[in-house]
Amino acid sequence: MVSNVIEELAYKDREFVFKDRLHAGELLADKLRPLLVDANVQLLAVPSGGVPVAHAVAQKLKIPLDVAVVRKIQIPWNTEAGFGAVTWDGRVLLNELLVGQLGLSTEAVEQCISRTREIVRQRVQIFRSTRRFPDLNGKTVVLVDDGLASGFTMLAAAESVRTKHPRKIVVAVPTGSANAIELVAPNVDELVCLNIRRGLIFAVADAYEVWYDLPDEEVVEYLEEFEKISNTQ
């Protein structure tokens, strides 16, 4: 495993170790706390699943929360899988090896990217509205999702954050495949993953007792709730 990875050995290769995303976020906060002492921190959640995880982290550690909208570029005949990602600021990251293996034409790839850009634009509008993206210059940026399957979505997010001149980039996730961890870790300063699992088959959902796809309305509720809490502190 890469040297900048922090894991919870008691959870290694186990399934159903978290009650739900909020429980996972609370445990993740405990692991993150020593890394963020005296740091100027900005937490960025990858919606949808990363928002409740980050909500719990932000509440426990009393740090600001915002969203970084990233979307995988779906394989046309298998929308559960992707061959790259598009970020909130228009950055495109392709898994070139997979694109070649899939036999996708340049036109097909461009069509998929175009559709994904439009989805990202819509989600930015839903989750951010007119709010400006936070200034990341000189800050420790913590990117949070509910898990890493392939890792390409998080890798794209980290690349976009890097262009904003942060002091440090930390990726924090409750669960992840060993392959995804090895892909992402060399491209960030630190990576915290409580539940690293090896094996040919990996599903983020298998780390959680309660798992479902969050509707946009619930994501917005989490963000609005955190904003209210922050305004009263």
Side-chain angles (χ1 to χ4, degrees):
M1 193 53 64
V2 186
S3 60
N4 64 334
V5 174
I6 299 170
E7 61 180 311
E8 183 57 67
L9 292 177
Y11 294 159
K12 194 177 187 70
D13 290 325
R14 290 177 54 192
E15 295 183 346
F16 307 112
V17 292
F18 310 116
K19 296 174 185 174
D20 54 23
R21 291 178 173 98
L22 291 174
H23 175 232
E26 291 173 357
L27 295 177
L28 195 58
D30 292 335
K31 207 73 169 177
L32 277 168
R33 192 188 301 276
L35 304 180
L36 306 179
V37 176
D38 298 328
N40 184 5
V41 182
Q42 175 65 60
L43 202 63
L44 292 178
V46 178
S48 295
V51 171
V53 178
H55 183 281
V57 172
Q59 271 198 284
K60 196 164 189 177
L61 300 184
K62 303 288 192 295
I63 53 180
L65 168 65
D66 214 309
V67 292
V69 178
V70 191
R71 181 80 172 186
K72 68 183 175 186
I73 305 170
Q74 295 173 329
I75 297 172
W77 56 87
N78 180 9
T79 56
E80 293 300 314
F83 61 88
V86 174
T87 65
W88 67 94
D89 57 352
R91 182 174 295 270
V92 177
L93 180 69
L94 294 179
N95 183 339
E96 300 288 357
L97 178 61
L98 182 55
V99 170
Q101 293 172 342
L102 294 171
L104 291 169
S105 67
T106 300
E107 182 181 6
V109 170
E110 288 301 322
Q111 287 175 348
C112 292
I113 292 173
S114 180
R115 284 196 295 270
T116 308
R117 283 188 192 275
E118 178 57 22
I119 293 171
V120 168
R121 186 195 67 77
Q122 292 172 358
R123 289 169 71 79
V124 167
Q125 179 61 32
I126 292 169
F127 300 141
R128 299 197 56 79
S129 186
T130 58
R131 286 186 298 115
R132 295 182 62 182
F133 196 77
D135 180 12
L136 305 181
N137 186 46
K139 294 183 179 180
T140 294
V141 178
V142 184
L143 282 162
V144 178
D145 205 348
D146 55 6
L148 299 181
S150 72
F152 261 85
T153 299
M154 184 60 79
L155 188 61
E159 287 196 3
S160 281
V161 167
R162 185 74 67 186
T163 67
K164 315 302 180 187
H165 310 294
R167 185 180 74 85
K168 180 189 290 188
I169 299 175
V170 179
V171 167
V173 291
T175 187
S177 71
N179 288 338
I181 300 301
E182 290 173 3
L183 172 70
V184 176
N187 295 282
V188 298
D189 297 288
E190 290 173 301
L191 192 155
V192 179
C193 180
L194 302 179
N195 168 236
I196 299 176
R197 283 180 278 140
R198 297 164 294 184
L200 296 176
I201 299 175
F202 176 89
V204 171
D206 288 345
Y208 298 88
E209 294 176 6
V210 177
W211 170 271
Y212 59 94
D213 293 330
L214 271 75
D216 290 347
E217 295 79 9
E218 188 171 346
V219 175
V220 171
E221 286 176 6
Y222 275 115
L223 296 173
E224 289 177 346
E225 179 187 346
F226 184 79
E227 186 172 3
K228 289 177 183 177
I229 293 170
S230 299
N231 290 336
T232 60
Q233 290 176 347

